[in-house]
Amino acid sequence: MMTGERSLGLLLFEMTFLVLLGPLVTGIIQKIKARIQCRQGAGVLQPYRDLAKLFRKGTVQADTASGLFRLIPVLVLAATVAAGALIPVVRAGPPSFPLGDALLLLGLLALARFLTAVGALDAGGAFGGMGASREMTLAPLVEPVLMMVVFSTAVAAGTTELGALAAQRGTSWVLAWHAADFLGFAAMLVLLPAETGRIPVDNPDTHLELTMLHEGMLLEHSGPGLGCMLLASHTRQIVTLGLVSALFFPIGPANGADAAGLLLGVGAFAAKILVLASYLALVESSYAKLRLFRVPQFLGIGFVCALTALALRIL
Amino acid sequence: MNVDSGLNLMAACYGAGALSALLARWSGRLALSVGHLATLAGAVVGLGVSLSVLLGAPGRTLTQPLPALFPFARLSLSVDGLSAYFLLVISLVAVAAAVYGPAYLRTYSPDAGPARQATQVLALNVFVGCMAFLCCAGDAMTFLLFWEGMTLASYVLVVSDDRDGENARAGLLYMVMAHGGTALLLVAFLVLTERAGAFDFAALRAAAGDLDGTTRTTLFFLALVGFGTKAGVVPLHVWLPRAHPAAPSHVSALMSGVMLKVAIYGLLRFAFDILAPVAGPLPSSWGWTVLVVGTTSAVLGVLYALQQHDIKRLLAFHSVENIGIILIGVGLAMILWRREGVGGVLATVALTAALLHTLNHAAFKGLLFLGAGSVISRTHVRNMEELGGLARRMPWTAGLFLLGAIAISALPPLNGFVSEWLTFQALLGGAGRFHGPAGLVIVFSAAMLALTGGLAAACFAKAFGVTFLGRPRTAHAEHATEAPPSMIVGMAWLGALCVALGVAPGYAMRLLDAPTAGLLHGPGASAVVTARGPMVLSAGLTASGTAATAISMTMVTALLIALTAIAWVLRRGSRRGPPRAAPTWACGMSPTSRFDYTATAFAKPLRFVFATLYRPRREVIRETAGTPYVVRRIHYAGEVVDLAETQIYHRVQRGISSLSQSIRARSTGRIHGYIGFVLAALFVALLLFGVDQ
């Protein structure tokens, strides 16, 4: 067994931290959006209230759905939260447990997405099928680019372990960036709205059939099941943001495992997430949603950036 | 188990199974049962033989002479690590097929006469037996004989369902393509045997040592095309999506899960063992070609699979994809093997990934074909658009099919993810060591592999969702019932294999030791991949000596299970009691099965995105009643083309047709003219080849 720098306890702490913080990020994005649109908006804690409400409610289930349908929210939430365990939050360095591989992270997120799509087809409505079809159309276009961005940093480090990649980044900031880093980061900025299901790729605020992707798949879930699905999408969002910050931003200089170092790490992480969340809110307020068949072209920008980043690394 | 007696016993089992076809004189059912039981026995013995070789002392090669049938060639069997590993793959799937087969054949075609049942039993045993012994062949003659036996027996099985003219055409195409490939293999082997003066592999190896570079590479490419035809690589795959669905489902499972792998075995044996230079790396053109061909096959295979509505055809296209993924690993191993400064460890990782994916693909593709077979035996429908709602009617089949779908989509925590992860690590390691365009090709191939995984997930969300979920679309699906227990046991065996290889892949590395060490003459798989204990997979060490990436599938699974339990508690909520059932929301209308998303609709956005490759054609015919505003009927037809078929095969076909047209003009029917042609041909041949003597 490898002697890593992050113990299992820290890993589980980071995972819980991400899950608990996930809804807050959504709340903050909604609040920033509201202020940009000159509205008061709901409080930043609104997503927590929504979740609490949903978990208290009963369930209504489509009469055509199979036994699998009740299991889907549980499995989706479990897969997404498990992905959260792989993100280095407060400290860099490889974990003492072999849990932290970027490909495994992407695999777990893909598993959650696959199960969501399967659940959407279960109820047998056109909306679910439409949402699933669109989501599964865009996912194969996003995943390779995401993987190429990961590779563009991983080729230099010789590993896809996120903790090790973050450690490689060290505490250096933009001044130490390679040209490939800028391009990779640009690709990531293009991918972020797609991966978190936001404008211009998806619209999280609507159930209108013309615009929805992810929301369409949740239409038949209700009560605690819907609560699980929502919690999963909050977690997915913060995990994606965490992946970007682990790949491109230096991780807090928390050398010791003492409380002060831990606090500093948490603070640094919160700051990074806040920056990325404001970016998402800004993009969402200033752009319209793209037509579905324009999205591949939009993602194409990310692909070109990622490919160039990789080429710069290798050539 | 003693390997010699094991091989004899295996031959006896398959032989007895083939002979049990005679029982059909009295009772077709009896022949089916006894024949499949013999296959099962043969497969179990095969498992024993292969495990005893793989887990026994390393580096042993057992040779067993066969009866001298030909005066010019000594036939023999020889079992080393690579043979044993492929024997293991064959036997594992054959066990499932043998358990599944009798009930399937009885429910699928209850009115089949004893003649057909006898044929199927005979062909099945010959087919499995030939594949098993092919991997144990010790000389070129034995190899080619079993190769031909395998082809003929599988052809018989493809056309055995004689109610369908389509099957006969599929069989003919298969036969032509397979023999075209075999012809190239014959050339490749005979060139070597002629130089060696003997047929056994040891002599061929010695003869190959003296070859010059051009001949060696030519022979390799002949073999690559020959084996590639059988393996179904793009663009030689056109027979595969036609022939595999035509066979009975458990035979499809064997053909897709195993027979294609036999071609991979042949390629590995020929390239790494027989043809490889005595020292130094393989010529670089070999590995790069295989890598590019593998990447192309993977992407195009899954793209064409996406647009299929016939569930077995869809699975057959996925075999093209998975063969591509295996070839990516093989190609990378060829590139990296013995290359100075790049490190042989990475070649071991690449070959391990390829071999592990071979086993994994056999498990999940076998499972998926058997699952599709259960559906077909109950509904007699292969078109997904006419199914639906089967998860409530066939819960076991649905659950196992979903397991296979997750595995083939390379999603954790099942086995497909493990081998693709290893392939990714090998690609990444390779890219880090090759600078310049070569590195970029490797990275591009990694990106394409990621695309393949995503598209496979989309394809199986569609396949599973449309077939098993929603409402039944036709009466066939409405009245379906669960498959009989023996069929479920057959599927569950492969399902358990998918889970075991996904959750604890470290233990399977022990099985890969003998083939990887034997083929690459380097460290074995477990020394590289499970250097940190069987629970942790790691991709060896990097150039700088730092520890490379590691994952533990066991821990991820444990984490997933724990989180699922927590989420389940959360999901139950505070209110007890069963959920209230209500109709699906359909904007106020009462939903019918026509509201369900169809497979065509599901795949339509991707058809638009990849329109360049699909060249979709759609035809809408409106029948109007006098005025254009009253439409009585709309007829819609849409199809996508297989680029290989339209761009290559149709042109070849046109060329052959016009050639035969022009020959027809010379074919007068008078014998003098023909004799003249023969003489002219002889004269030209003498001029060309008689000069040397």
Side-chain angles (χ1 to χ4, degrees):
Chain A
M1 198 86 8
M2 178 167 80
T3 51
E5 290 142 43
R6 292 154 64 220
S7 64
L8 181 66
L10 186 66
L11 243 56
L12 292 179
F13 164 74
E14 288 178 336
M15 182 184 83
T16 322
F17 179 72
L18 282 181
V19 175
L20 292 180
L21 211 64
L24 183 65
V25 176
T26 312
I28 291 173
I29 294 180
Q30 300 289 19
K31 188 74 179 175
I32 298 176
K33 264 173 66 182
R35 298 319 291 253
I36 293 176
Q37 293 162 1
C38 302
R39 287 188 289 119
Q40 187 62 42
V44 288
L45 298 181
Q46 188 57 36
Y48 293 103
R49 293 191 201 106
D50 288 344
L51 286 176
K53 178 187 74 185
L54 286 171
F55 282 118
R56 280 201 306 274
K57 283 195 169 263
T59 307
V60 184
Q61 189 175 316
D63 50 11
T64 45
S66 66
L68 185 69
F69 190 74
R70 302 193 63 193
L71 214 63
I72 290 284
V74 175
L75 295 175
V76 169
L77 182 60
T80 317
V81 174
L86 311 185
I87 296 277
V89 175
V90 294
R91 294 184 57 189
S96 59
F97 274 61
L99 268 180
D101 178 50
L103 301 180
L104 185 60
L105 173 89
L106 296 180
L108 284 169
L109 290 181
L111 175 69
R113 175 147 38 196
F114 176 81
L115 290 171
T116 312
V118 164
L121 288 165
D122 201 0
F127 289 116
M130 194 180 294
S133 160
R134 291 175 176 180
E135 179 89 356
M136 295 315 277
T137 302
L138 295 187
L141 305 179
V142 174
E143 274 163 21
V145 187
L146 211 53
M147 212 166 265
M148 282 164 80
V149 175
V150 171
F151 281 167
S152 76
T153 51
V155 162
T159 171
T160 51
E161 191 95 57
L162 278 171
L165 288 178
Q168 187 95 356
R169 183 70 64 195
T171 51
S172 61
W173 183 224
V174 180
L175 291 178
W177 272 20
H178 192 272
D181 290 324
F182 285 103
L183 282 165
F185 189 62
M188 218 51 181
L189 290 183
V190 171
L191 292 180
L192 261 184
E195 193 61 16
T196 53
R198 297 197 164 270
I199 286 176
V201 175
D202 190 2
N203 189 347
D205 297 332
T206 176
H207 292 285
L208 195 66
E209 74 241 39
L210 283 176
T211 55
M212 67 188 176
L213 274 76
H214 185 255
E215 293 301 307
M217 299 196 288
L218 307 188
L219 217 52
E220 288 301 325
H221 291 280
S222 59
L226 181 60
C228 286
M229 295 302 267
L230 284 184
L231 186 58
S233 48
H234 295 316
T235 311
R236 180 190 192 90
Q237 177 171 279
I238 196 170
V239 164
T240 315
L241 298 181
L243 174 69
V244 179
S245 49
L247 286 180
F248 291 102
F249 297 156
I251 266 201
N255 296 319
D258 55 342
L262 212 64
L263 217 59
L264 198 61
V266 169
F269 183 75
K272 285 178 285 185
I273 296 294
L274 201 63
V275 169
L276 291 171
S278 332
Y279 161 76
L280 282 179
L282 210 65
V283 168
E284 203 162 41
S285 309
S286 35
Y287 287 91
K289 189 190 169 297
L290 285 171
R291 261 180 62 214
L292 183 70
F293 292 109
R294 296 292 293 277
V295 173
Q297 294 164 20
F298 173 70
L299 296 174
I301 304 172
F303 176 76
V304 171
C305 287
L307 192 67
T308 322
L310 259 177
L312 282 176
R313 280 272 189 236
I314 287 174
L315 290 178
Chain B
M1 184 185 288
N2 187 348
V3 175
D4 305 347
S5 54
L7 287 176
N8 281 319
L9 197 57
M10 209 162 78
C13 287
Y14 290 125
L19 287 180
S20 70
L22 296 174
L23 292 174
R25 265 185 85 85
W26 295 283
S27 155
R29 284 177 72 106
L30 184 68
L32 277 187
S33 308
V34 175
H36 282 83
L37 210 61
T39 315
L40 180 64
V44 170
V45 174
L47 276 183
V49 169
S50 56
L51 285 177
S52 74
V53 174
L54 289 172
L55 301 177
R60 240 171 8 140
T61 304
L62 294 131
T63 316
Q64 163 117 3
L66 288 178
L69 294 178
F70 304 98
F72 55 88
R74 264 202 316 271
L75 303 185
S76 66
L77 295 177
S78 110
V79 184
D80 63 357
L82 190 68
S83 313
Y85 183 73
F86 278 85
L87 184 60
L88 178 79
V89 174
I90 292 164
S91 303
L92 282 172
V93 182
V95 166
V99 172
Y100 180 97
Y104 171 79
L105 288 175
R106 276 201 292 270
T107 42
Y108 180 62
S109 43
D111 51 340
R116 193 201 296 177
Q117 286 168 331
T119 321
Q120 280 170 338
V121 163
L122 173 71
L124 178 74
N125 277 289
V126 173
F127 178 48
V128 179
C130 280
M131 288 197 293
F133 282 103
L134 170 68
C135 294
C136 304
D139 63 292
M141 195 69 197
T142 318
F143 186 92
L144 290 169
L145 281 177
F146 282 126
W147 181 268
E148 189 58 24
M150 175 178 86
T151 306
L152 292 178
S154 54
Y155 167 76
V156 169
L157 287 163
V158 166
V159 297
S160 70
D161 198 358
D162 52 4
R163 285 171 301 184
D164 198 345
E166 188 73 26
N167 288 2
R169 278 195 296 280
L172 184 65
L173 180 65
Y174 170 44
M175 199 68 164
V176 171
M177 294 283 294
H179 280 109
T182 310
L184 297 182
L185 288 182
L186 264 177
V187 175
F189 273 111
L190 290 183
V191 167
L192 278 181
T193 50
E194 195 245 288
R195 281 167 191 254
F199 279 85
D200 57 310
F201 284 156
L204 297 190
R205 219 168 283 145
D210 313 330
L211 287 177
D212 61 296
T214 324
T215 319
R216 192 189 299 281
T217 300
T218 314
L219 288 186
F220 171 75
F221 281 103
L222 281 176
L224 181 64
V225 176
F227 288 123
T229 313
K230 198 68 173 182
V233 301
V234 174
L236 302 167
H237 66 283
V238 286
W239 62 272
L240 197 151
R242 289 196 171 78
H244 284 203
S249 291
H250 62 302
V251 178
S252 311
L254 282 169
M255 285 176 77
S256 252
V258 180
M259 190 180 77
L260 308 183
K261 311 304 161 42
V262 172
I264 297 288
Y265 165 79
L267 186 66
L268 289 175
R269 172 71 71 202
F270 198 72
F272 280 100
D273 188 17
I274 295 177
L275 206 58
V278 180
L282 298 177
S284 56
S285 60
W286 299 14
W288 292 107
T289 310
V290 172
L291 182 70
V292 170
V293 163
T295 313
T296 317
S297 296
V299 175
L300 289 183
V302 70
L303 274 175
Y304 288 124
L306 259 167
Q307 302 298 340
Q308 303 304 319
H309 309 143
D310 177 332
I311 187 161
K312 284 177 82 174
R313 226 175 125 94
L314 178 145
L315 292 175
F317 267 113
H318 270 287
S319 298
V320 176
E321 172 218 333
N322 279 286
I323 285 293
I325 296 173
I326 294 170
L327 285 182
I328 289 178
V330 171
L332 205 60
M334 285 179 174
I335 293 168
L336 294 169
W337 187 39
R338 288 180 181 165
R339 198 144 315 252
E340 289 294 321
V342 184
V345 173
L346 213 52
T348 310
V349 176
L351 189 66
T352 306
L355 288 176
L356 190 63
H357 200 73
T358 306
L359 177 58
N360 287 341
H361 177 242
F364 54 66
K365 185 51 67 63
L367 171 60
L368 287 167
F369 261 117
L370 296 188
S374 299
V375 170
I376 292 163
S377 75
R378 287 312 192 186
T379 60
H380 290 90
V381 170
R382 274 175 19 190
N383 186 352
M384 288 191 282
E385 311 278 36
E386 296 173 23
L387 296 169
L390 292 176
R392 288 159 75 102
R393 291 161 182 82
M394 311 175 75
W396 283 98
T397 307
L400 287 163
F401 193 91
L402 180 63
L403 194 76
I406 293 178
I408 198 175
S409 308
L411 296 172
L414 296 182
N415 58 352
F417 176 78
V418 179
S419 40
E420 287 205 17
W421 184 84
L422 278 174
T423 313
F424 272 123
Q425 293 299 334
L427 284 167
L428 192 66
R433 281 148 214 224
F434 281 97
H435 291 280
L440 214 55
V441 169
I442 294 183
V443 166
F444 192 72
S445 159
M448 289 300 110
L449 187 58
L451 177 69
T452 306
L455 290 172
C459 189
F460 276 94
K462 172 189 109 167
F464 179 75
V466 173
T467 311
F468 289 97
L469 303 178
R471 289 180 200 79
R473 294 185 176 82
T474 54
H476 299 295
E478 177 98 52
H479 300 121
T481 48
E482 185 56 275
S486 70
M487 285 163 71
I488 292 175
V489 169
M491 290 187 273
W493 161 253
L494 292 175
L497 213 61
C498 287
V499 174
L501 286 169
V503 173
Y507 293 98
M509 293 303 155
R510 181 87 177 76
L511 301 174
L512 284 160
D513 271 346
T516 46
L519 219 52
L520 301 180
H521 311 293
S526 58
V528 176
V529 178
T530 52
R532 288 160 55 185
M535 298 301 231
V536 183
L537 294 184
S538 62
L541 295 175
T542 58
S544 53
T546 51
T549 325
I551 52 168
S552 167
M553 294 308 290
T554 323
M555 277 177 208
V556 173
T557 315
L559 184 68
L560 269 175
I561 290 172
L563 289 171
T564 309
I566 296 172
W568 182 250
V569 173
L570 209 63
R571 164 76 177 75
R572 276 173 61 188
S574 50
R575 290 199 188 182
R576 295 287 175 267
R580 195 155 60 82
T584 308
W585 171 245
C587 300
M589 290 188 270
S590 57
T592 69
S593 63
R594 309 263 320 241
F595 283 43
D596 284 28
Y597 233 53
T598 58
T600 317
F602 192 94
K604 181 142 190 176
L606 281 166
R607 191 153 71 237
F608 272 122
V609 174
F610 293 99
T612 338
L613 289 170
Y614 287 135
R615 313 268 171 92
R617 189 186 64 81
R618 69 196 288 255
E619 186 184 7
V620 180
I621 303 170
R622 288 164 196 275
E623 276 181 35
T624 52
T627 96
Y629 304 109
V630 182
V631 179
R632 282 177 186 261
R633 290 171 73 180
I634 296 183
H635 173 80
Y636 169 85
E639 64 164 7
V640 297
V641 297
D642 187 334
L643 270 188
E645 226 171 290
T646 52
Q647 297 297 310
I648 302 174
Y649 288 86
H650 287 183
R651 288 181 188 190
V652 170
Q653 192 188 3
R654 276 198 297 275
I656 293 177
S657 301
S658 61
L659 193 69
S660 22
Q661 287 291 340
S662 61
I663 289 176
R664 185 194 268 177
R666 312 279 173 278
S667 136
T668 50
R670 275 176 303 179
I671 195 119
H672 312 90
Y674 295 145
I675 291 173
F677 287 139
V678 170
L679 279 178
L682 186 66
F683 183 66
V684 171
L686 282 175
L687 270 186
L688 283 178
F689 302 109
V691 183
D692 290 349
Q693 264 75 41

